[in-house]
């Protein structure tokens, strides 16, 4: 796995950054500073519609299926997103809450 060449976590892999500082990882994903290439993220799954929720009322369901069944639950998750440790869930919830048309 590729290590970051500079920045706050120089010489760390993206996986290590993800595990140590979720907020910084999230910043890297969104901002993609010049020391990050799109290919550096290849080991991570960004297919948001297939992300599976691992808790609650719709445990083990894809977020895209939940959007179809219960869009209000997506809105509820969006209100709680800051409490999640799963960055992909945060991204998926943000995407579906802010783009309510079924994907």
């Amino acid at each position: 796995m590729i290590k970051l060449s500079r920045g706050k976590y120089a010489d760390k892999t993206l996986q290590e950054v993800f595990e140590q500082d979720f907020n910084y990882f999230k910043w890297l994903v969104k901002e993609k500073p010049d020391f990050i290439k799109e290919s550096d993220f290849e080991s991570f799954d960004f297919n948001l519609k297939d992300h599976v929720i691992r808790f609650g009322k719709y445990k083990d369901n894809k977020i895209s299926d939940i959007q179809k069944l219960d869009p209000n639950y997506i809105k509820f998750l969006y209100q709680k997103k800051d409490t999640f440790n799963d960055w992909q869930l945060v991204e998926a919830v943000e995407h579906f809450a802010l783009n309510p048309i079924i994907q």
Side-chain angles (χ1 to χ4, degrees):
M1 183 169 260
I2 298 170
K3 292 188 177 192
L4 300 179
S5 62
R6 59 183 180 170
K8 184 176 179 179
Y9 290 100
D11 295 324
K12 298 278 186 189
T13 66
L14 287 175
Q15 185 66 40
E16 290 171 320
V17 174
F18 172 73
E19 292 168 1
Q20 293 174 19
D21 190 343
F22 172 69
N23 287 327
Y24 188 75
F25 181 84
K26 201 168 135 179
W27 178 83
L28 288 172
V29 170
K30 287 187 186 267
E31 300 299 325
K32 292 185 185 65
D34 63 353
F35 59 94
I36 295 287
K37 296 181 289 257
E38 191 69 35
S39 61
D40 294 342
F41 291 103
E42 287 176 356
S43 64
F44 293 91
D45 179 11
F46 286 98
N47 195 352
L48 300 178
K49 67 182 176 57
D50 291 333
H51 190 78
V52 175
I53 292 186
R54 301 287 179 208
F55 62 87
K57 180 177 177 179
Y58 292 104
K59 182 179 179 181
D60 298 327
N61 284 276
K62 291 180 184 178
I63 195 147
S64 58
D65 293 339
I66 298 167
Q67 174 68 26
K68 293 172 191 172
L69 293 170
D70 190 351
N72 286 329
Y73 192 71
I74 300 297
K75 292 176 188 173
F76 166 77
L77 291 175
Y78 183 74
Q79 293 172 348
K80 302 292 183 187
K81 70 182 172 57
D82 293 335
T83 65
F84 302 150
N85 291 328
D86 179 344
W87 70 271
Q88 288 178 315
L89 176 58
V90 171
E91 293 294 319
V93 166
E94 286 178 346
H95 175 77
F96 281 92
L98 300 175
N99 302 289
I101 297 171
I102 296 174
Q103 306 291 318

